[in-house]
Amino acid sequence: MARVTPAEARDRTDAGAVLVDVREAPEWAEGHAPGAVLAPLSALTAGEPLPESARSRPVVAICRSGKRSREAAALLSARGAEVVDVVGGMRAWTEAGLPVVAEAGFSEVAESGAPGAE
């Protein structure tokens, strides 16, 4: 299974892939990548399909640290999806200085790597 860095994931989504966040809803609410769609691993393993916006498109799976996204990538690949996962997950995404959106709105990532840090 192919794994990509956060920067490579961003490049892939810029080229038309969809970023699928496989964390649970409370984790998603704390902060996620702009443009990502939520599809919890628990739902996928229970047989739920990908959200409509992620069907028939290349998928980049992401989670908190990379473990669940790796599992999701294997599961989705077995279902016939073109999928890679992000090494290091949202932790690495944030450390790379990439943007994060929280339920309260947009939060730029500061040099410290913490969402909303000033």
Side-chain angles (χ1 to χ4, degrees), residues 8-52:
E8 291 167 332
R10 180 80 178 265
D11 290 345
R12 285 176 182 250
T13 59
D14 287 348
V18 61
L19 188 65
V20 175
D21 193 320
V22 300
R23 297 175 298 161
E24 296 299 319
E27 295 171 287
W28 165 269
E30 289 175 8
H32 55 274
V37 296
L38 179 64
L41 178 60
S42 59
L44 295 173
T45 58
E48 290 290 323
L50 281 170
E52 186 68 36

Side-chain angles (χ1 to χ4, degrees), residues 35-108:
V37 296
L38 179 64
L41 178 60
S42 59
L44 295 173
T45 58
E48 290 290 323
L50 281 170
E52 186 68 36
S53 63
R55 296 179 196 161
S56 301
R57 292 174 61 191
V59 170
V60 178
I62 194 165
C63 65
R64 181 177 53 92
S65 64
K67 183 181 183 298
R68 286 176 284 180
S69 62
R70 190 179 220 173
E71 291 177 39
L75 175 72
L76 294 171
S77 180
R79 292 183 186 175
E82 178 186 336
V83 60
V84 298
D85 80 293
V86 180
V87 176
M90 284 301 296
R91 285 181 176 171
W93 181 276
T94 302
E95 288 171 7
L98 295 171
V100 175
V101 176
E103 287 298 314
F106 183 78
S107 172
E108 297 231 3

